[in-house]
Amino acid sequence: MAQESFKVLSQEEERKYDLKNLKFYKMSTYNESLAYFLEDGKLLVNPNTPSAEHSLIMNLADFDNDKFPVLPENDTPYYRFKGLMNNTDFTESNMIEIFRQLGFNYQNESFYNDAEKFMKTLSVDDKIKFFIPVLYFIGEDLRKLCPDANWSFETIYYFQPFSEVSLYNERNNFSFYDLNTMLEGKLLNENSITFKNIYKKLETKYLKNKKIWDLR
């Protein structure tokens, strides 16, 4: 067992445990994970999210005290900056402050070109930090096409919960969630697409759907 007395299980390892034969303990009020009794005061803990890659074996006391690990797939920009993932703090001034900390001088007129050059100088950790304000400013440009879209914050109940942000237009049931995945691809997986082309792809998608909505 590691320092916090947990063991990470792969999906293959997890399948060795038949939940039908395990006594259910409870669901965590912290992250909605589901715990089942094992031997020696240990629990099998399953995260309550479809995208989860791992389950845990952990001590009952750690489970009850919300001592959960941060696994690689949970260590997202949204988790690292979860204090900003709300309608009060996800603001232009806070985003510019992150840029300032990174040494990036935000200029509205040249943002896309400047961001393209600047990201090439960043470490992986700094790219994760850069992700959040880039998401905000590209999202704000998309809001000019769809002024009644709002920032939406959806809690992801993994071992360490966090809220993931996207733009959502409820009136026409249109989500700008693709912005998240394209930025993740570019900044975290080195996909060869420019920030400007990310915007253009979403602009095209929105305008295409808007024509359909306007006919209703």
Side-chain angles (χ1 to χ4, degrees), residues 78 131 134-136 138-140 142 151 167 176-184 198-199 202:
Y78 313 103
F131 178 101
V134 169
L135 172 70
Y136 175 85
I138 296 179
E140 285 298 297
L142 289 168
W151 289 108
L167 272 175
F176 290 105
Y177 179 77
D178 287 348
L179 174 57
N180 302 44
T181 56
M182 283 192 274
L183 284 178
E184 287 171 4
I198 288 175
Y199 170 82
L202 289 168

Side-chain angles (χ1 to χ4, degrees), residues 68 77 154 207:
F68 295 90
E154 179 181 0
L207 293 176

Side-chain angles (χ1 to χ4, degrees), residues 8 24 52 71 75 97 100 109 192 212:
V8 181
F24 179 68
L71 301 185
D75 189 16
E97 173 59 21
R100 187 195 65 77
E109 299 79 8
S192 57
I212 297 173

Side-chain angles (χ1 to χ4, degrees), residues 11-214:
Q11 290 180 343
E12 183 178 354
E13 290 174 317
E14 180 190 336
R15 284 194 288 270
K16 295 177 182 178
Y17 295 90
D18 188 351
L19 298 184
K20 296 178 183 177
N21 297 326
L22 297 178
K23 183 180 179 181
F24 179 68
Y25 176 44
K26 65 179 180 181
M27 181 176 76
S28 167
T29 56
Y30 172 68
N31 60 22
E32 298 188 355
S33 60
L34 305 174
Y36 300 82
F37 285 107
L38 297 175
E39 298 176 348
D40 302 323
K42 298 291 190 298
L43 298 172
L44 172 66
V45 182
N46 293 330
N48 193 12
T49 178
S51 60
E53 297 180 21
H54 300 98
S55 294
L56 300 176
I57 293 178
M58 61 190 300
N59 291 333
L60 187 149
D62 286 342
F63 180 86
D64 284 344
N65 288 289
D66 302 331
K67 293 184 178 179
F68 295 90
V70 179
L71 301 185
E73 63 268 26
N74 196 47
D75 189 16
T76 67
Y78 313 103
Y79 172 71
R80 292 197 187 186
F81 296 92
K82 59 183 178 180
L84 299 177
M85 300 295 104
N86 58 73
N87 284 312
T88 301
D89 299 304
F90 198 71
T91 62
E92 179 175 340
S93 60
N94 283 336
M95 301 304 116
I96 289 178
E97 173 59 21
I98 294 176
F99 279 155
R100 187 195 65 77
Q101 293 170 8
L102 289 169
F104 179 71
N105 181 26
Y106 171 74
Q107 299 293 328
N108 181 60
E109 299 79 8
S110 57
F111 167 63
Y112 289 93
N113 289 334
D114 293 345
E116 206 65 49
K117 296 174 185 176
F118 185 74
M119 70 153 284
K120 296 175 182 178
T121 70
L122 297 176
S123 66
V124 173
D125 279 346
D126 283 344
K127 284 180 180 178
I128 290 174
K129 191 171 185 177
F130 195 56
F131 178 101
I132 296 298
V134 169
L135 172 70
Y136 175 85
F137 283 106
I138 296 179
E140 285 298 297
D141 282 345
L142 289 168
R143 272 166 54 92
K144 296 171 186 175
L145 300 172
C146 183
D148 54 350
N150 293 304
W151 289 108
S152 174
F153 302 88
E154 179 181 0
T155 302
I156 308 297
Y157 288 101
Y158 206 46
F159 292 125
Q160 295 286 0
F162 59 91
S163 292
E164 190 172 79
V165 59
S166 62
L167 272 175
Y168 184 67
N169 176 9
E170 185 176 7
R171 184 172 64 85
N172 290 313
N173 194 31
F174 187 82
S175 171
F176 290 105
Y177 179 77
D178 287 348
L179 174 57
N180 302 44
T181 56
M182 283 192 274
L183 284 178
E184 287 171 4
K186 177 174 177 60
L187 285 166
L188 308 183
N189 301 319
E190 299 185 353
N191 290 359
S192 57
I193 184 172
T194 65
F195 291 120
K196 190 64 177 178
N197 282 340
I198 288 175
Y199 170 82
K200 287 181 177 178
K201 280 180 176 289
L202 289 168
E203 178 187 50
T204 299
K205 182 176 181 179
Y206 170 73
L207 293 176
K208 179 180 178 181
N209 281 278
K210 185 175 185 297
K211 292 178 182 177
I212 297 173
W213 297 332
D214 289 343

